[in-house]
């Protein structure tokens, strides 16, 4: 098990950030590259157990919402299928790639009272083969800041 972690300060009030991300199905609204998202079985986007199926850079991914707290401003999701390591062109596969990984991600928001801003902590726990842990962590260490930057750009457009 290894973990990728990223934190950033968003120049927006916590309530604004939380209102955007709290709906598990709202991924296309704030993550560049997500073209579509659907919640299966008529569940709500804030209902623990809801499964979202979304298209990210042409790849369909399914995740389950495993924790959601409006009070603590936390959202945790888990991949339902092992995630294949992307090829250099972004497609799954690659002959020398690490074995697929299972993962669980958490987005946690905390208020920063000075300036009415928000601290976002985003981490992903990765269940990998020991020999693959560094490569998977490095990949997520590069992705998570991009996702947080996408969220910040979306929030900036809503001002």
């Amino acid at each position: 098990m290894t973990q990728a972690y990223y934190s950033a300060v968003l120049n927006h009030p916590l309530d604004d950030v939380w209102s955007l991300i709290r709906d598990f199905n709202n991924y296309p609204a704030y993550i560049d590259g997500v073209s579509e998202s659907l919640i299966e079985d008529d569940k709500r986007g804030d209902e623990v157990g809801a499964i979202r199926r979304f298209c990210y850079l042409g790849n369909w991914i399914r995740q389950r919402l495993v924790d959601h707290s409006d009070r603590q401003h936390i959202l945790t999701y888990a991949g339902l299928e092992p995630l294949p390591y992307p090829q250099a062109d972004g497609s799954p596969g690659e002959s020398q790639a690490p074995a697929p990984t299972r993962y669980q991600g958490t987005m946690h928001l905390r208020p920063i009272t000075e300036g009415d801003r928000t601290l976002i902590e985003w981490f992903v726990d990765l269940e990998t083969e020991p020999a693959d842990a560094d490569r998977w962590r490095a990949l997520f260490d590069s992705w998570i800041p991009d996702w947080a930057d996408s969220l910040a750009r979306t929030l900036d457009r809503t001002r």
Side-chain angles (χ1 to χ4, degrees):
M1 183 79 79
T2 190
Q3 185 180 84
Y5 175 86
Y6 182 75
S7 62
V9 173
L10 302 171
N11 292 319
H12 298 272
L14 183 137
D15 288 341
D16 292 353
V17 180
W18 183 244
S19 69
L20 182 60
I21 71 169
R22 74 173 300 282
D23 183 343
F24 191 50
N25 198 36
N26 211 20
Y27 233 29
Y30 66 90
I31 298 295
D32 293 337
V34 175
S35 58
E36 190 174 344
S37 180
L38 307 161
I39 296 284
E40 299 178 2
D41 300 325
D42 296 321
K43 302 254 185 184
R44 293 184 328 271
D46 62 352
E47 187 175 347
V48 171
I51 295 171
R52 74 175 165 199
R53 183 171 51 93
F54 64 95
C55 187
Y56 179 62
L57 301 177
N59 300 298
W60 284 95
I61 299 168
R62 291 178 72 228
Q63 298 172 335
R64 178 184 313 275
L65 183 61
V66 295
D67 189 22
H68 186 281
S69 173
D70 285 323
R71 189 176 64 75
Q72 295 179 322
H73 303 101
I74 195 164
L75 179 148
T76 300
Y77 55 90
L80 294 178
E81 294 96 18
L83 189 64
Y85 200 83
Q87 293 184 21
D89 68 1
S91 61
E94 192 170 303
S95 59
Q96 300 293 5
T101 188
R102 294 203 173 273
Y103 63 96
Q104 180 169 295
T106 298
M107 300 167 70
H108 186 193
L109 304 179
R110 298 174 189 266
I112 299 174
T113 54
E114 187 260 322
D116 197 17
R117 298 176 298 161
T118 302
L119 172 69
I120 182 170
E121 295 179 290
W122 196 330
F123 53 92
V124 179
D125 294 317
L126 302 157
E127 186 180 320
T128 68
E129 295 294 324
D132 298 338
D134 288 343
R135 287 182 71 190
W136 273 109
R137 185 177 50 253
L139 183 63
F140 274 86
D141 280 344
S142 72
W143 282 346
I144 298 170
D146 289 345
W147 299 334
D149 288 347
S150 178
L151 172 61
R153 284 190 304 275
T154 301
L155 289 161
D156 289 345
R157 285 191 299 268
T158 63
R159 278 193 172 183

